[in-house]
Amino acid sequence: MTKELVIDVQQETVSIALLEDKRLVELNRDNLKQNYEVGNIYLGRVKRILTGLNAAFVDIGSDKEAFIHYHDLGENFPAMNNIVKQILNDKKRTPRYEKLPCMEKDGSIRDVLTVGQMILVQIIKEPISTKGARVSSEISIAGRYMVMLPFVDNRTSVSQKIRVNAEKTRLKQLVHSIKPTNFSVIIRTVADGKRVAELDGEIKVLKNRWDKTLENLRKSTGIGLLSQESSRVVSNIRDLFDEEYENIHVNDNETFKEIQDYIQLIAPDKKDIVKLYEGEFPIYDNFGVTRQIKVSFGRVVSFKRGAYLIMDQTEAMFVVDVNSGTRIKASQNHEDNALEVNLLAAEEIARQLRLRDIGGLVVIDFIDMLQKANMKKVCDYMYKMMSTDRAKHNILPLSKFCLMEITRQRVRPAIAINTNETCPTCFGTGKSKPSILFTNQLENKIHFIVNELEIKKFTLCVHPFIEAYINKGFVSQRRRWRIKYSRGIRVIPMQELGFLQYKFLDKNRNEIDLTVPN
């Protein structure tokens, strides 16, 4: 299996597409203007205590108050809270760690928190729908090889996915001997076989990040951000990257250097797989990602010769209906046909859960089967297909009605991409201008850009059909424009645009603001 990442960096968003054998299996899309992301650490103020829920709302400076449950405070909350109090009460003095009794497992939040109290919290779930972020006071500093937990009893644990006992023992003893006092460490799967120098280097980086957090707390004047996760791209690559990756393509020079430096740090022999994309077509169009997004994110998802899924989201759950469509073989009976379609559907559903990052409860209505052996085959195959999913999940066996329930860890809002295009003729208004005048409209824009904005080099992005029309013939429309206005005009196709949609980009690939009337 070949793996590669394709990273599209725009002014306000960054998208990371994971391809396996050229097939899109994961898509991460982040808004660069959104600050509230998983892993960020804040100084917050308790606003309300909900006794019935044994929880509280915390103001961290966002529009929506964050939510924290009693169990999210962590058993070592007294020690952590004591450090915060010492720093806030005397910002010039170095705080002194004191081992305090752990919190009761089933205590009341009113015994621990009071309205107006300042506490240190970390986002564990981003805001979803009408809900604010979910936060925890059990702070963790994540790296590639390990996760460090400040002011937690001196424990060192190893990922269960490391199977060899000798390697587990080696890593545990090694890390325990080099980690700081009063810190616990969880060793991640990718640390398997790593040398002491690599592990020691990361421990120092994580400890330095925590020290900077406390320093920012000392300088703080109120609630707000104290520590931010690594850049969106680097933090995603930290979780996605493994030795199987063959290429990482990115279309932004600054991001390219940032990724290259990070890969150089964690896997020096792999630094050459990072490649700067400088082609004239949009990077997602060039690697076939745009087309796969349009095919994969609709309500109806087709797969393998006529069968398809219907995917709907309700307030409580995500529902998937499996349909055989036109996929019926005369040589097979109903049971065999149902089993074949259900197995193919299981593969596509596992991909869709990863691709859309669907969390919470998922109910799948498979095609009815009568034989329990076939039901078990479908269930076992779903286990296999979901084994590569990094999110925590639980799969229940098929019921007698061929319904399967899956719970999947919800950390961020599910990715929802509208694949419907605005009507290419009227743009949703119900009225349209003669389409023959479309090139005249484009020429008006070009005249404005060249003569009013005085931009000589720019790119016109249009639907592939329109691009073919503009460039057709020996004396094409594009050639006429270049002769009349500017030799710097380029026309390229962009698959994400509707039939009569267009946009102009300057030489830095930023969209040109057009205020001229049509």
Side-chain angles (χ1 to χ4, degrees), residues 415-434:
I415 296 177
I417 296 177
N418 184 11
T419 58
N420 295 325
E421 294 181 354
T422 304
C423 172
T425 305
C426 69
F427 295 96
T429 65
K431 299 178 181 179
S432 65
K433 297 180 179 179

Side-chain angles (χ1 to χ4, degrees), residues 293-299 417-421:
I293 289 174
K294 287 183 176 291
V295 170
S296 302
F297 277 89
R299 178 174 178 265
I417 296 177
N418 184 11
T419 58
N420 295 325
E421 294 181 354

Side-chain angles (χ1 to χ4, degrees), residues 7 110 124 162 172 230 502 513:
I7 303 170
R110 281 198 174 276
I124 56 176
I162 298 179
K172 194 169 184 177
S230 308
Y502 60 89
D513 183 19

Side-chain angles (χ1 to χ4, degrees), residues 53-121:
L53 295 176
N54 205 18
F57 283 114
V58 181
D59 183 8
I60 58 174
S62 65
D63 296 336
K64 301 172 186 174
E65 294 171 350
F67 177 86
I68 188 168
H69 191 271
Y70 176 84
H71 293 142
D72 293 326
L73 292 172
E75 62 179 14
N76 291 281
F77 177 76
M80 176 69 73
N81 194 47
N82 183 45
I83 292 290
V84 173
K85 284 182 177 179
Q86 289 184 51
I87 293 176
L88 294 179
N89 291 336
D90 189 348
K91 296 189 176 185
K92 293 183 179 180
R93 203 172 144 195
T94 303
R96 185 168 55 89
Y97 172 74
E98 296 179 26
K99 183 172 176 56
L100 300 175
C102 294
M103 291 199 337
E104 296 180 18
K105 186 176 181 180
D106 297 313
S108 171
I109 198 164
R110 281 198 174 276
D111 297 334
V112 185
L113 298 182
T114 57
V115 174
Q117 181 178 344
M118 306 293 281
I119 61 174
L120 206 64
V121 294

